[in-house]
């Protein structure tokens, strides 16, 4: 089974930066679509960003230009660099893997399309 472990969350002030890591075992990250989702208390889980095996990336409008997803194949790890953080970025961030690899943006951004999930890491941005 694929195991995903997130790390790097914490408390930062608005305008600051954080880098999240997602370490995978049981499957190489270059063979699946890797995504990041986030969930704030009382709200639904929402898509943040994803990267395909071919390296193509996708971003939610709310984070485009501020967040960057990347992949280190040697370490089998996916990263999420978050800059210019805002209070509305606060939430639990989850790493996920999708092995189906259909190309629709509806599927790419839908949490139910992903097969494996990490336990999440808390990100809190103060005003």
């Amino acid at each position: 089974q694929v195991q995903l472990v997130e790390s790097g969350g914490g408390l930062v002030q608005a305008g600051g930066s954080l880098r999240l890591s997602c370490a995978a075992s049981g499957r190489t990250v270059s063979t699946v679509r890797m995504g990041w989702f986030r969930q704030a208390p009382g709200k639904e889980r929402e898509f943040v960003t994803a990267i395909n095996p071919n390296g193509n990336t996708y971003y939610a409008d709310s984070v485009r230009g501020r967040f960057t997803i990347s992949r280190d194949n040697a370490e089998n790890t996916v990263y999420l660099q978050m800059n210019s953080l805002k209070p509305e970025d606060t939430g639990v961030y989850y790493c996920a893997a999708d092995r189906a690899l259909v190309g629709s943006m509806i599927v790419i951004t839908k949490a139910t399309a992903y097969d494996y999930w990490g336990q999440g890491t808390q990100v809190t941005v103060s005003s």
Side-chain angles (χ1 to χ4, degrees):
Q1 297 292 331
V2 174
Q3 300 289 329
L4 303 174
V5 180
E6 304 96 336
S7 62
L11 173 64
V12 298
Q13 294 184 347
S17 299
L18 282 174
R19 189 180 75 159
L20 306 183
S21 299
C22 175
S25 61
R27 188 76 175 268
T28 57
V29 296
S30 62
T31 64
V32 297
R33 177 183 296 116
M34 300 295 299
W36 288 95
F37 291 76
R38 67 187 182 188
Q39 187 168 22
K43 296 185 178 180
E44 294 185 353
R45 184 167 45 186
E46 66 174 347
F47 171 78
V48 177
T49 182
I51 183 169
N52 280 348
N54 63 6
N56 287 349
T57 57
Y58 308 87
Y59 294 93
D61 291 341
S62 59
V63 306
R64 186 175 293 109
R66 300 187 299 120
F67 291 11
T68 303
I69 187 171
S70 62
R71 183 179 64 208
D72 187 332
N73 294 335
E75 297 295 329
N76 207 35
T77 299
V78 174
Y79 301 96
L80 178 63
Q81 179 66 46
M82 305 184 294
N83 298 326
S84 301
L85 283 162
K86 305 174 181 179
E88 52 262 45
D89 295 319
T90 294
V92 178
Y93 282 68
Y94 297 93
C95 178
D98 176 14
R99 58 185 175 88
L101 294 177
V102 297
S104 171
M105 282 301 299
I106 295 176
V107 174
I108 292 173
T109 62
K110 186 169 65 177
T112 54
Y114 289 75
D115 304 296
Y116 308 102
W117 293 85
Q119 293 299 307
T121 184
Q122 177 71 43
V123 172
T124 303
V125 184
S126 62
S127 300

